[in-house]
Structures are given as structure tokens and as C-alpha cells.
Amino acid sequence: MHNNLESQRRQYALADRAKELGWVDVEVIDEDLGRSGSGAPRPGFERLLLALCDGKVGAVMSVDASRLARNGRDWQTLLEFCSVVGALLIDADGVYDPTQINDRLLLGMKGTISEMEVATFRQRAQAALEQKAKRGELFRRVAIGYVRVGEDRIEKDPDARVRAAIDMVFRKFSEIGSARQLYFWLVAQQMQLPVIVGTIDAAQTLWKAARYHAVLSMLKNPIYAGAYAYGRSKATTRIEHGRQRTVRQKQHDRDAWAVLITDHHEGYITWDAYNSNQALIAHNANAMGDMVRGSVRRGGALLSGILRCGHCGRKLLAQYPGPGVIRYQCASHILEREKTCCVSFGGQRADSRVTDSVLASLKPLGIQAALQAIEQLQGADDERVRQKELALQQARYEVGRAQRQYDAVDPLNRLVAAELERRWNEAMRIEAGLAEELSTLKSAKTRFLTHTTKAELLALGEDLPRLWDHPSTPPELKKRILRIVLKEIIVRTHGDTIQMVLHWQGGDHSELTMEKTPSGVLIVGHMEPIGCRHKGARGLSA
């Protein structure tokens, strides 16, 4: 469009031809240049129809029919309006009067042929794109963290700061297990993420505060797992306000994707890690109800989200009837009032029994878990330091570049020198701020993890129950550990006996049984105050 202008010049030359034919008042309508005619609003075409209705147009000129209408409906509407008001249609081949049946027939054929040509060109272009995509060589816009190499290949961005930021996002997600909590962590730590702005030919990387949807999109994009995917979105067409509108929607079913090529390029994570992340994100979608476990929420009920009724198949909700009291209850009687509750039992003993089974399985890994905890505590601090170091390196480069630009300008040219001096000062201000933040982080790091703290962590690793019951261990962490080990727990009642079948992530099953708490007996545990409640029933939380 920007380089091939001969067709555009030919269209504008129609104004001179109209004057040669004797027309004095000639108006050029060019609002629709660069606009698609496939359903998008076309203000120029609408203005032409309005002028025809007002009787202000004596002739309509175009190079060919496709320049006026891209579909049969618009073309026939134009012909009808011209025939009613007696306006002529003029193209490169001749002058036509729509009121004459022969001219109307010829114009109709021209419009049909033009519509067929446009559809044929579009179909051929789409087929060529799909053929290139099947080879994994079609890249319209490369995701942040990758750069285009030639026309048909991508590789990781050579910028170390960009790569480190993306690695950090996926590493922290594997630790936190929630895209929303990851976003909150990035904001709390004042971590910036790279953003691509500008056109494809003039793209620029900027560093901005994290946005939730940008983080979620990065986690869901298979390109970071080294996979090439094409056709992840589907275009649907509908009529709105009498106009055709095309809307693109994401396709979550991978079988519906047109192309999926794994091991296509170097990824930031493995394909198995990507699949695990997608499963975790899907299970965190609380709106899916009984279909998923739901996200880890606040509250002392450790088995919340992984308990399922063995009688009706619904999830069990955690009920907090009083301070320090937990009760698990099937949701069937809440959703369908005429039904009775399938399963209802006290939660303190159930949490304790399941926890004992899990800790017994994890006991051989206690020391290893303690060492990994030490590494994570050190790594979390090192991550912030590393990001600030990379940001400081880039800031120093910007200071040097601004200084070189200032030194290269003529000092007498104050209009330019003053602006370059301001940019230099701004770059130095940013550099000084990052240097101060880095110094603060490094000084805090030396005080963060002492030898005493390391010894305490190793001691706790030898005694997992003491680590589990430690006051500083949050319930959210316990829930995450249980979900990592357990896939689901099926609960059934047989008289006064509760039967729990534990489905472990590795595919094994084990069974626990316990007696119901006798009526009138209240078991109270040590819990944090509960602030969340389930809508529709007092004291319920999923």
C-alpha cells in the first residue's frame, strides 16, 4: 500500500476524466482507502449512498466495480439507488445507465465477477498462509522473548535482561502455582516486564509494570515451550445492528488448532512443564465449579477443593460453623434444596488423618525439601538482585549513549543541545535510582538468610510434622503440598463410618476410614480467623 501507488494514482485521475466528460462539480471520496470491504464500516461508501438519496449525484466513477463494493449486497444497493435517482455509473470501459435493462444486466455481471475475483484472491492467499504455517514458517508477530531470524525462523532474544525476565515468570509460577498470585508478587517486588511497542518493522522493547492479562497470556502461549501453534483463535461472523461483524475467539481445545508442532525451536520451558501449567491454570478457574478443584484460598480447611462426594460426584465444601471449627459437607443440598446432604463430617480429624498419610510418604524427602527451601529462599532474593543488575547495566548503556549524543552536537545549537542534555540528566537519574535500589537489596540479602536460619531449616527437614505444624507455615502452602501429592479424595459414608479413598498423583490409591464425630461433640483446632464465605449459605467456602 505504501510502495505500490500506481493504482491509487489511477483512481485519483478519474477526477480529471470526469471534467473531460463535461462535469464541473467533481468530489473525490477517499475515506475508504486502506479499509476492508468485508463487513467493516465504510464511511465513504455510506456518504456516497446518502448523497445519491439526496439527489446530489449525477454520475459515479470508479476504476472497476471492486473499488465500490466488495459484496453483492452493496453492489446491488448501489445499482438500485442509481436507477432510482437516474445517476450514471462510469468505469474505465464505458458509461452505463442503470435505468436501462441491458446496462443493468452488464453491471450486475461486472459486480458478480468482481466479487468472485476478490473471493478467489482471498482464498488463494489464505491457502498459501496455511501451507506455510504447516511447515512452521509463518510468523506474523513474534512474541516477546523471541526475535525473527530471516523470514521463516525464530530464536531467543539476545537481550539477557529480556530472557532473564521471562525465565523468572515461569520459575515463580512453578513455585506460586497461581497466575493471579504471581501477578501480585511481581507488583509487590516492583518487577518490570518487557513489552513490544510499535510496528513489526520498527518494534521497540519497553519495560513496564506487570499487567495480569499479559502475565496470563505469557503463561498460556505455547511458543515459550518451544512449540509452533497456528489457528489458536477462531473467527466467527454474526450480524450486529444490520452489519456483518467478525469476532475472533480463543480455541482452548488443542485438537481444534490447525497446526501444532512441538520441539520447533528453543523454549524457555519444556512441553511437559507447559502442559502441567495449563492443567494448573484450568484447575484454578473457580467459575468451572465441580469440574475443577478451584484455586487455593485462605482458610484452615486443608482438604478444600480435593474432596469429592462418592455418592453424587459433587465437590465437598468447607464449612466454618464457629471459630476454629471445620466441617466438610456435600453441596448437593445447597444446589438442589429437595435433596438431602450426601456426606457431612468434621474436618479436623480428616485433615489430620490425610496429613499423617502424606507426611509419612514424604518423610524420606524431608532433608531434600529443606535444602530446596534454602535454595528457594536464596534464589528469591538472588532473582531480585539479578533483575536489578540487568536493569542497571541497561541504564548505564543509556547514560553512555545519551552522553555520546550530547558530545556529538554543536554546543551553539541550543535547540538540540538543551534537549539532549535533559535526556542525559534523566538517564543519569534513572541510573542513580537503580544503583541505590540494588545496594539496598544486596545489604538486605546479607541479613536475610543467616547460618542460624539454615540450621533451623535443616532441623525442620528431619522432623516434617514439626515443620508442618510450625506457626509460620501458612495454610495456603499446606494446601499446595497436598494438591501436588494428591489428585483427589473420594468420600463415602457407611452408617457412622467415613471412608476416604486417596487418589495419589502417581496413580496409586489408598484408603482411610474413621468414625463420625458423635452428635454434641465439638472438636476445635488452631486456625486463623476466616474471612471468606460462600454465597448462598452461611459459613461456606469452596
Side-chain angles (χ1 to χ4, degrees):
M1 176 180 175
H2 296 286
N3 300 324
N4 303 320
L5 302 177
E6 291 303 321
S7 178
Q8 181 177 333
R9 295 191 183 102
R10 186 184 175 195
Q11 295 177 61
Y12 281 112
L14 292 174
D16 297 332
R17 184 174 179 227
K19 293 178 180 178
E20 293 175 358
L21 294 175
W23 301 96
V24 177
D25 187 6
V26 179
E27 182 178 357
V28 178
I29 299 177
D30 56 0
E31 290 93 330
D32 296 341
L33 283 177
R35 289 178 177 266
S36 172
S38 57
R42 302 177 64 196
F45 187 75
E46 293 176 358
R47 187 157 70 92
L48 171 61
L49 296 180
L50 182 60
L52 283 169
C53 292
D54 293 339
K56 299 178 180 179
V57 178
V60 178
M61 300 189 65
S62 66
V63 175
D64 53 51
S66 65
R67 299 298 178 183
L68 286 176
R70 299 297 177 88
N71 55 69
R73 182 195 62 183
D74 289 348
W75 180 241
Q76 294 299 328
T77 300
L78 178 63
L79 293 183
E80 187 66 27
F81 281 21
C82 289
S83 64
V84 171
V85 300
L88 302 177
L89 276 170
I90 306 175
D91 64 8
D93 298 325
V95 179
Y96 308 94
D97 184 0
T99 60
Q100 301 295 322
I101 187 62
N102 289 333
D103 288 358
R104 180 70 175 267
L105 175 62
L106 182 57
L107 288 172
M109 295 176 61
K110 278 178 169 285
T112 301
I113 294 173
S114 175
E115 184 179 15
M116 184 193 67
E117 289 178 346
V118 172
T120 302
F121 293 155
R122 184 183 296 114
Q123 186 177 7
R124 289 176 180 173
Q126 184 63 30
L129 291 177
E130 292 177 356
Q131 186 67 26
K132 191 173 183 180
K134 289 179 180 179
R135 300 194 304 268
E137 300 175 357
L138 177 62
F139 298 99
R140 288 172 172 165
R141 192 175 185 93
V142 182
I144 186 71
Y146 287 95
V147 294
R148 192 191 303 268
V149 180
E151 293 294 331
D152 54 3
R153 193 164 60 89
I154 61 172
E155 63 183 20
K156 282 187 175 181
D157 197 317
D159 191 331
R161 186 184 178 190
V162 174
R163 297 198 308 272
I166 297 176
D167 285 332
M168 174 195 64
V169 168
F170 286 101
R171 186 163 53 252
K172 292 304 295 183
F173 179 77
S174 64
E175 297 175 11
I176 297 175
S178 168
R180 185 169 177 266
Q181 295 302 322
L182 171 60
Y183 163 72
F184 288 149
W185 182 87
L186 293 171
V187 173
Q189 300 298 328
Q190 298 181 349
M191 293 289 190
Q192 293 184 326
L193 296 181
V195 178
I196 296 294
V197 297
T199 61
I200 298 178
D201 297 331
Q204 182 182 5
T205 302
L206 299 181
W207 290 85
K208 297 183 178 181
R211 294 184 299 112
Y212 171 72
H213 289 289
V215 174
L216 184 61
S217 177
M218 183 180 296
L219 294 174
K220 289 185 174 182
N221 197 336
I223 193 174
Y224 295 104
Y228 177 89
Y230 176 78
R232 294 173 60 209
S233 60
K234 178 179 65 174
T236 57
T237 304
R238 58 175 178 261
I239 303 299
E240 290 186 1
H241 306 293
R243 287 192 171 277
Q244 175 184 338
R245 183 187 177 189
T246 302
V247 180
R248 286 199 167 272
Q249 297 176 337
K250 290 288 186 180
Q251 297 190 105
H252 301 289
D253 185 7
R254 294 180 192 171
D255 294 335
W257 296 357
V259 179
L260 177 60
I261 305 174
T262 57
D263 297 326
H264 176 267
H265 53 270
E266 184 181 3
Y268 287 85
I269 58 175
T270 64
W271 182 247
D272 291 337
Y274 171 79
N275 291 329
S276 299
N277 290 346
Q278 303 315 300
L280 183 56
I281 292 174
H283 274 291
N284 288 340
N286 296 311
M288 299 298 292
D290 290 342
M291 298 177 61
V292 298
R293 292 181 296 184
S295 60
V296 173
R297 297 183 177 182
R298 297 190 308 166
L302 303 184
L303 304 182
S304 174
I306 59 176
L307 291 175
R308 188 172 295 276
C309 179
H311 301 285
C312 68
R314 299 186 185 277
K315 283 170 49 177
L316 268 62
L317 302 180
Q319 182 179 8
Y320 303 97
V325 182
I326 302 174
R327 190 167 190 80
Y328 294 115
Q329 186 171 326
C330 180
S332 58
H333 77 292
I334 299 175
L335 301 176
E336 300 180 26
R337 293 293 183 179
E338 67 277 3
K339 289 189 176 182
T340 58
C341 182
C342 302
V343 177
S344 178
F345 58 96
Q348 290 290 344
R349 285 198 301 161
D351 287 356
S352 178
R353 293 289 303 275
V354 174
T355 297
D356 291 342
S357 297
V358 171
L359 293 182
S361 302
L362 297 179
K363 187 176 181 179
L365 304 176
I367 299 297
Q368 180 181 354
L371 294 175
Q372 290 180 352
I374 293 175
E375 293 177 357
Q376 289 182 1
L377 289 173
Q378 291 176 331
D381 201 57
D382 293 339
E383 193 68 61
R384 295 193 294 270
V385 172
R386 175 60 175 164
Q387 291 296 319
K388 291 298 179 184
E389 287 177 343
L390 293 173
L392 182 59
Q393 291 180 15
Q394 185 173 355
R396 286 172 178 168
Y397 165 76
E398 296 295 338
V399 169
R401 186 168 69 92
Q403 181 181 2
R404 290 191 296 271
Q405 290 178 341
Y406 178 78
D407 293 339
V409 73
D410 187 353
L412 298 179
N413 189 356
R414 298 303 304 168
L415 294 176
V416 178
E419 174 62 20
L420 293 179
E421 183 179 8
R422 185 195 64 79
R423 296 180 183 179
W424 186 12
N425 291 332
E426 179 66 17
M428 288 191 294
R429 184 188 65 79
I430 295 175
E431 180 194 17
L434 289 172
E436 183 178 355
E437 293 176 7
L438 180 59
S439 177
T440 303
L441 285 176
K442 287 184 175 180
S443 61
K445 177 184 176 183
T446 57
R447 302 190 305 267
F448 181 68
L449 198 61
T450 62
H451 293 289
T452 303
T453 307
K454 293 181 181 180
E456 291 178 354
L457 286 173
L458 289 174
L460 289 173
E462 297 178 357
D463 188 0
L464 282 180
R466 188 162 65 95
L467 175 61
W468 188 271
D469 297 329
H470 196 276
S472 62
T473 304
E476 293 84 358
L477 178 59
K478 297 179 183 179
K479 294 179 184 180
R480 285 199 59 211
I481 294 175
L482 292 176
R483 292 187 178 202
I484 291 174
V485 178
L486 295 172
K487 181 181 299 183
E488 197 172 48
I489 300 176
I490 306 299
V491 183
R492 293 183 177 87
T493 58
H494 301 282
D496 293 335
T497 303
I498 301 295
Q499 179 190 33
M500 294 187 295
V501 179
L502 280 60
H503 293 236
W504 301 82
Q505 292 288 359
D508 293 336
H509 301 78
S510 61
E511 184 177 327
L512 294 176
T513 58
M514 66 179 186
E515 298 296 324
K516 284 187 177 181
T517 303
S519 178
V521 177
L522 185 64
I523 299 178
V524 180
H526 299 285
M527 293 173 49
E528 297 294 330
I530 305 303
C532 55
R533 290 292 183 263
H534 186 276
K535 184 178 179 182
R538 184 178 181 273
L540 292 180
S541 175

PDB file of all heavy atoms in Angstrom, residues 43-65:
ATOM      1  N   PRO A  43     -17.248   4.512   5.821  1.00  0.00           N
ATOM      2  CA  PRO A  43     -17.892   5.834   5.838  1.00  0.00           C
ATOM      3  C   PRO A  43     -17.976   6.473   4.462  1.00  0.00           C
ATOM      4  O   PRO A  43     -18.930   7.196   4.164  1.00  0.00           O
ATOM      5  CB  PRO A  43     -17.012   6.646   6.797  1.00  0.00           C
ATOM      6  CG  PRO A  43     -15.702   5.915   6.847  1.00  0.00           C
ATOM      7  CD  PRO A  43     -16.022   4.483   6.648  1.00  0.00           C
ATOM      8  N   GLY A  44     -16.979   6.222   3.609  1.00  0.00           N
ATOM      9  CA  GLY A  44     -17.015   6.807   2.268  1.00  0.00           C
ATOM     10  C   GLY A  44     -18.158   6.265   1.440  1.00  0.00           C
ATOM     11  O   GLY A  44     -18.881   7.013   0.765  1.00  0.00           O
ATOM     12  N   PHE A  45     -18.342   4.941   1.469  1.00  0.00           N
ATOM     13  CA  PHE A  45     -19.432   4.322   0.716  1.00  0.00           C
ATOM     14  C   PHE A  45     -20.784   4.772   1.258  1.00  0.00           C
ATOM     15  O   PHE A  45     -21.727   5.023   0.489  1.00  0.00           O
ATOM     16  CB  PHE A  45     -19.302   2.802   0.795  1.00  0.00           C
ATOM     17  CG  PHE A  45     -20.271   2.056  -0.070  1.00  0.00           C
ATOM     18  CD1 PHE A  45     -20.099   1.980  -1.441  1.00  0.00           C
ATOM     19  CD2 PHE A  45     -21.368   1.425   0.491  1.00  0.00           C
ATOM     20  CE1 PHE A  45     -20.999   1.294  -2.245  1.00  0.00           C
ATOM     21  CE2 PHE A  45     -22.267   0.736  -0.293  1.00  0.00           C
ATOM     22  CZ  PHE A  45     -22.081   0.664  -1.671  1.00  0.00           C
ATOM     23  N   GLU A  46     -20.904   4.905   2.573  1.00  0.00           N
ATOM     24  CA  GLU A  46     -22.160   5.370   3.167  1.00  0.00           C
ATOM     25  C   GLU A  46     -22.448   6.820   2.774  1.00  0.00           C
ATOM     26  O   GLU A  46     -23.607   7.187   2.543  1.00  0.00           O
ATOM     27  CB  GLU A  46     -22.092   5.219   4.687  1.00  0.00           C
ATOM     28  CG  GLU A  46     -22.052   3.769   5.150  1.00  0.00           C
ATOM     29  CD  GLU A  46     -21.896   3.645   6.645  1.00  0.00           C
ATOM     30  OE1 GLU A  46     -21.776   4.710   7.310  1.00  0.00           O
ATOM     31  OE2 GLU A  46     -21.891   2.509   7.163  1.00  0.00           O
ATOM     32  N   ARG A  47     -21.407   7.635   2.701  1.00  0.00           N
ATOM     33  CA  ARG A  47     -21.612   9.036   2.283  1.00  0.00           C
ATOM     34  C   ARG A  47     -22.058   9.105   0.833  1.00  0.00           C
ATOM     35  O   ARG A  47     -22.876   9.952   0.449  1.00  0.00           O
ATOM     36  CB  ARG A  47     -20.319   9.827   2.486  1.00  0.00           C
ATOM     37  CG  ARG A  47     -20.452  11.327   2.235  1.00  0.00           C
ATOM     38  CD  ARG A  47     -19.360  12.072   2.960  1.00  0.00           C
ATOM     39  NE  ARG A  47     -18.060  11.855   2.374  1.00  0.00           N
ATOM     40  CZ  ARG A  47     -17.521  12.632   1.424  1.00  0.00           C
ATOM     41  NH1 ARG A  47     -18.205  13.671   0.949  1.00  0.00           N
ATOM     42  NH2 ARG A  47     -16.330  12.383   0.955  1.00  0.00           N
ATOM     43  N   LEU A  48     -21.541   8.188  -0.012  1.00  0.00           N
ATOM     44  CA  LEU A  48     -21.958   8.152  -1.409  1.00  0.00           C
ATOM     45  C   LEU A  48     -23.436   7.786  -1.516  1.00  0.00           C
ATOM     46  O   LEU A  48     -24.187   8.434  -2.278  1.00  0.00           O
ATOM     47  CB  LEU A  48     -21.099   7.133  -2.165  1.00  0.00           C
ATOM     48  CG  LEU A  48     -21.517   6.802  -3.598  1.00  0.00           C
ATOM     49  CD1 LEU A  48     -21.476   8.061  -4.468  1.00  0.00           C
ATOM     50  CD2 LEU A  48     -20.636   5.719  -4.186  1.00  0.00           C
ATOM     51  N   LEU A  49     -23.874   6.761  -0.755  1.00  0.00           N
ATOM     52  CA  LEU A  49     -25.287   6.390  -0.794  1.00  0.00           C
ATOM     53  C   LEU A  49     -26.181   7.512  -0.293  1.00  0.00           C
ATOM     54  O   LEU A  49     -27.273   7.748  -0.843  1.00  0.00           O
ATOM     55  CB  LEU A  49     -25.511   5.127   0.044  1.00  0.00           C
ATOM     56  CG  LEU A  49     -24.813   3.841  -0.445  1.00  0.00           C
ATOM     57  CD1 LEU A  49     -25.144   2.682   0.495  1.00  0.00           C
ATOM     58  CD2 LEU A  49     -25.227   3.491  -1.875  1.00  0.00           C
ATOM     59  N   LEU A  50     -25.734   8.228   0.738  1.00  0.00           N
ATOM     60  CA  LEU A  50     -26.525   9.333   1.271  1.00  0.00           C
ATOM     61  C   LEU A  50     -26.658  10.453   0.245  1.00  0.00           C
ATOM     62  O   LEU A  50     -27.747  11.037   0.066  1.00  0.00           O
ATOM     63  CB  LEU A  50     -25.881   9.860   2.553  1.00  0.00           C
ATOM     64  CG  LEU A  50     -26.617  10.992   3.268  1.00  0.00           C
ATOM     65  CD1 LEU A  50     -28.009  10.548   3.683  1.00  0.00           C
ATOM     66  CD2 LEU A  50     -25.818  11.474   4.480  1.00  0.00           C
ATOM     67  N   ALA A  51     -25.571  10.743  -0.463  1.00  0.00           N
ATOM     68  CA  ALA A  51     -25.623  11.779  -1.490  1.00  0.00           C
ATOM     69  C   ALA A  51     -26.538  11.362  -2.640  1.00  0.00           C
ATOM     70  O   ALA A  51     -27.250  12.198  -3.218  1.00  0.00           O
ATOM     71  CB  ALA A  51     -24.217  12.079  -2.004  1.00  0.00           C
ATOM     72  N   LEU A  52     -26.555  10.076  -2.989  1.00  0.00           N
ATOM     73  CA  LEU A  52     -27.451   9.591  -4.027  1.00  0.00           C
ATOM     74  C   LEU A  52     -28.908   9.756  -3.600  1.00  0.00           C
ATOM     75  O   LEU A  52     -29.761  10.176  -4.393  1.00  0.00           O
ATOM     76  CB  LEU A  52     -27.162   8.122  -4.327  1.00  0.00           C
ATOM     77  CG  LEU A  52     -25.925   7.821  -5.187  1.00  0.00           C
ATOM     78  CD1 LEU A  52     -25.615   6.331  -5.181  1.00  0.00           C
ATOM     79  CD2 LEU A  52     -26.130   8.320  -6.623  1.00  0.00           C
ATOM     80  N   CYS A  53     -29.209   9.442  -2.344  1.00  0.00           N
ATOM     81  CA  CYS A  53     -30.579   9.577  -1.853  1.00  0.00           C
ATOM     82  C   CYS A  53     -31.035  11.027  -1.867  1.00  0.00           C
ATOM     83  O   CYS A  53     -32.220  11.325  -2.102  1.00  0.00           O
ATOM     84  CB  CYS A  53     -30.691   9.011  -0.439  1.00  0.00           C
ATOM     85  SG  CYS A  53     -30.478   7.215  -0.360  1.00  0.00           S
ATOM     86  N   ASP A  54     -30.116  11.950  -1.643  1.00  0.00           N
ATOM     87  CA  ASP A  54     -30.459  13.371  -1.638  1.00  0.00           C
ATOM     88  C   ASP A  54     -30.544  13.956  -3.050  1.00  0.00           C
ATOM     89  O   ASP A  54     -30.886  15.137  -3.210  1.00  0.00           O
ATOM     90  CB  ASP A  54     -29.435  14.151  -0.824  1.00  0.00           C
ATOM     91  CG  ASP A  54     -29.477  13.800   0.659  1.00  0.00           C
ATOM     92  OD1 ASP A  54     -30.522  13.277   1.086  1.00  0.00           O
ATOM     93  OD2 ASP A  54     -28.486  14.043   1.366  1.00  0.00           O
ATOM     94  N   GLY A  55     -30.238  13.142  -4.069  1.00  0.00           N
ATOM     95  CA  GLY A  55     -30.291  13.622  -5.443  1.00  0.00           C
ATOM     96  C   GLY A  55     -29.177  14.569  -5.811  1.00  0.00           C
ATOM     97  O   GLY A  55     -29.327  15.377  -6.731  1.00  0.00           O
ATOM     98  N   LYS A  56     -28.030  14.476  -5.135  1.00  0.00           N
ATOM     99  CA  LYS A  56     -26.922  15.391  -5.400  1.00  0.00           C
ATOM    100  C   LYS A  56     -25.873  14.800  -6.336  1.00  0.00           C
ATOM    101  O   LYS A  56     -24.885  15.452  -6.633  1.00  0.00           O
ATOM    102  CB  LYS A  56     -26.239  15.768  -4.076  1.00  0.00           C
ATOM    103  CG  LYS A  56     -27.156  16.468  -3.084  1.00  0.00           C
ATOM    104  CD  LYS A  56     -26.402  16.745  -1.785  1.00  0.00           C
ATOM    105  CE  LYS A  56     -27.296  17.443  -0.756  1.00  0.00           C
ATOM    106  NZ  LYS A  56     -26.589  17.707   0.510  1.00  0.00           N
ATOM    107  N   VAL A  57     -26.083  13.573  -6.785  1.00  0.00           N
ATOM    108  CA  VAL A  57     -25.081  12.896  -7.597  1.00  0.00           C
ATOM    109  C   VAL A  57     -25.667  12.616  -8.973  1.00  0.00           C
ATOM    110  O   VAL A  57     -26.759  12.059  -9.100  1.00  0.00           O
ATOM    111  CB  VAL A  57     -24.628  11.576  -6.934  1.00  0.00           C
ATOM    112  CG1 VAL A  57     -23.612  10.858  -7.818  1.00  0.00           C
ATOM    113  CG2 VAL A  57     -24.043  11.855  -5.556  1.00  0.00           C
ATOM    114  N   GLY A  58     -24.910  12.997 -10.000  1.00  0.00           N
ATOM    115  CA  GLY A  58     -25.343  12.730 -11.361  1.00  0.00           C
ATOM    116  C   GLY A  58     -24.621  11.556 -11.973  1.00  0.00           C
ATOM    117  O   GLY A  58     -25.138  10.909 -12.894  1.00  0.00           O
ATOM    118  N   ALA A  59     -23.416  11.243 -11.479  1.00  0.00           N
ATOM    119  CA  ALA A  59     -22.647  10.127 -12.010  1.00  0.00           C
ATOM    120  C   ALA A  59     -21.667   9.653 -10.940  1.00  0.00           C
ATOM    121  O   ALA A  59     -21.164  10.441 -10.145  1.00  0.00           O
ATOM    122  CB  ALA A  59     -21.898  10.511 -13.274  1.00  0.00           C
ATOM    123  N   VAL A  60     -21.417   8.346 -10.933  1.00  0.00           N
ATOM    124  CA  VAL A  60     -20.459   7.735 -10.022  1.00  0.00           C
ATOM    125  C   VAL A  60     -19.378   7.096 -10.862  1.00  0.00           C
ATOM    126  O   VAL A  60     -19.663   6.272 -11.737  1.00  0.00           O
ATOM    127  CB  VAL A  60     -21.134   6.687  -9.119  1.00  0.00           C
ATOM    128  CG1 VAL A  60     -20.109   6.024  -8.210  1.00  0.00           C
ATOM    129  CG2 VAL A  60     -22.253   7.310  -8.305  1.00  0.00           C
ATOM    130  N   MET A  61     -18.108   7.462 -10.594  1.00  0.00           N
ATOM    131  CA  MET A  61     -16.991   6.958 -11.385  1.00  0.00           C
ATOM    132  C   MET A  61     -16.085   6.102 -10.513  1.00  0.00           C
ATOM    133  O   MET A  61     -15.847   6.395  -9.332  1.00  0.00           O
ATOM    134  CB  MET A  61     -16.182   8.120 -11.974  1.00  0.00           C
ATOM    135  CG  MET A  61     -16.968   9.033 -12.897  1.00  0.00           C
ATOM    136  SD  MET A  61     -15.908  10.213 -13.756  1.00  0.00           S
ATOM    137  CE  MET A  61     -14.922   9.105 -14.756  1.00  0.00           C
ATOM    138  N   SER A  62     -15.587   5.023 -11.096  1.00  0.00           N
ATOM    139  CA  SER A  62     -14.630   4.152 -10.414  1.00  0.00           C
ATOM    140  C   SER A  62     -13.803   3.433 -11.456  1.00  0.00           C
ATOM    141  O   SER A  62     -14.183   3.358 -12.628  1.00  0.00           O
ATOM    142  CB  SER A  62     -15.350   3.132  -9.523  1.00  0.00           C
ATOM    143  OG  SER A  62     -16.098   2.236 -10.324  1.00  0.00           O
ATOM    144  N   VAL A  63     -12.652   2.906 -11.027  1.00  0.00           N
ATOM    145  CA  VAL A  63     -11.806   2.154 -11.950  1.00  0.00           C
ATOM    146  C   VAL A  63     -12.485   0.848 -12.326  1.00  0.00           C
ATOM    147  O   VAL A  63     -12.525   0.455 -13.484  1.00  0.00           O
ATOM    148  CB  VAL A  63     -10.423   1.896 -11.319  1.00  0.00           C
ATOM    149  CG1 VAL A  63      -9.577   1.000 -12.221  1.00  0.00           C
ATOM    150  CG2 VAL A  63      -9.705   3.213 -11.062  1.00  0.00           C
ATOM    151  N   ASP A  64     -13.020   0.131 -11.307  1.00  0.00           N
ATOM    152  CA  ASP A  64     -13.796  -1.075 -11.573  1.00  0.00           C
ATOM    153  C   ASP A  64     -14.775  -1.263 -10.419  1.00  0.00           C
ATOM    154  O   ASP A  64     -14.759  -0.541  -9.426  1.00  0.00           O
ATOM    155  CB  ASP A  64     -12.888  -2.309 -11.751  1.00  0.00           C
ATOM    156  CG  ASP A  64     -11.934  -2.496 -10.591  1.00  0.00           C
ATOM    157  OD1 ASP A  64     -12.396  -2.482  -9.435  1.00  0.00           O
ATOM    158  OD2 ASP A  64     -10.712  -2.635 -10.823  1.00  0.00           O
ATOM    159  N   ALA A  65     -15.621  -2.262 -10.568  1.00  0.00           N
ATOM    160  CA  ALA A  65     -16.690  -2.445  -9.586  1.00  0.00           C
ATOM    161  C   ALA A  65     -16.147  -2.786  -8.204  1.00  0.00           C
ATOM    162  O   ALA A  65     -16.735  -2.418  -7.181  1.00  0.00           O
ATOM    163  CB  ALA A  65     -17.637  -3.547 -10.053  1.00  0.00           C
TER     164      ALA A  65
END
